[in-house]
Amino acid sequence: MKARDLAQPLPTVTVDSAALEAARLIAERRLPGIAVLDHQQRPVALLPASDVLRAVVPEPVLDDPSLAGVVDEASADRLCTEGLGRKRVADLMRPVHQRVELAAVEPHDTVVECAALMARLHSPAVVVIDNGELVGVVTAAHLLEVLLNRPG
């Protein structure tokens, strides 16, 4: 089985998209992160869900998680919308040298090649790129499902 056969549609955002839009896509589709495209619609990075959460959690709580107990649920909801409300995706992205590499495979790559790249990069997914165009995504969960359900 080839990567093109496993690829599933992948929601994307651009560097200029609203951060709240990215957060909603991640939440609604239960994604480990979301692919970010540049102004020419080329994939540039993976924005991990954990980096979106980092924009929501107040800095003192990041430094000392024991402070999280003083934030009630209503305040947490408000922190989320305020923390993301005026930001763009670019504001949430790590500096270039610290970004999560967008692991990419070609349509003809095999299941094992996809798995090897995911394992090597500690990536929960790989994107399938065909001639610079984003075809879709192969997640580790989907890949394991395919491998575990193979006969023999």
Side-chain angles (χ1 to χ4, degrees):
M1 186 171 284
K2 304 292 183 192
R4 76 175 150 270
D5 303 321
L6 293 171
Q8 300 172 326
L10 174 67
T12 60
V13 292
T14 67
V15 291
D16 291 326
S17 296
L20 202 50
E21 174 190 349
R24 285 192 173 120
L25 281 169
I26 290 170
E28 288 167 2
R29 306 228 182 157
R30 298 180 187 260
L31 299 169
I34 195 161
V36 180
L37 308 178
D38 65 14
H39 296 103
Q40 286 78 40
Q41 299 299 302
R42 293 178 304 216
V44 292
L46 177 71
L47 177 63
S50 58
D51 285 2
V52 176
L53 291 174
R54 187 178 310 278
V56 172
V57 178
E59 194 71 35
V61 176
L62 287 173
D63 295 337
D64 183 1
S66 68
L67 296 175
V70 300
V71 179
D72 63 15
E73 300 241 352
S75 297
D77 293 346
R78 191 182 77 253
L79 285 171
C80 184
T81 55
E82 288 175 3
L84 298 173
R86 293 181 210 91
K87 292 184 178 171
R88 298 173 311 120
V89 167
D91 299 327
L92 305 182
M93 293 175 67
R94 299 175 190 179
V96 174
H97 66 282
Q98 293 179 348
R99 286 187 186 159
V100 175
E101 183 179 343
L102 190 58
V105 296
E106 295 181 2
H108 63 273
D109 288 344
T110 67
V111 171
V112 174
E113 288 171 308
C114 294
L117 183 60
M118 285 182 205
R120 191 175 84 248
L121 296 178
H122 304 280
S123 177
V126 294
V127 292
V128 181
I129 307 283
D130 190 9
N131 293 318
E133 296 290 320
L134 184 63
V135 174
V137 65
V138 178
T139 64
H142 183 64
L143 188 63
L144 285 169
E145 178 184 10
V146 167
L147 292 170
L148 292 171
N149 289 319
R150 280 190 171 184

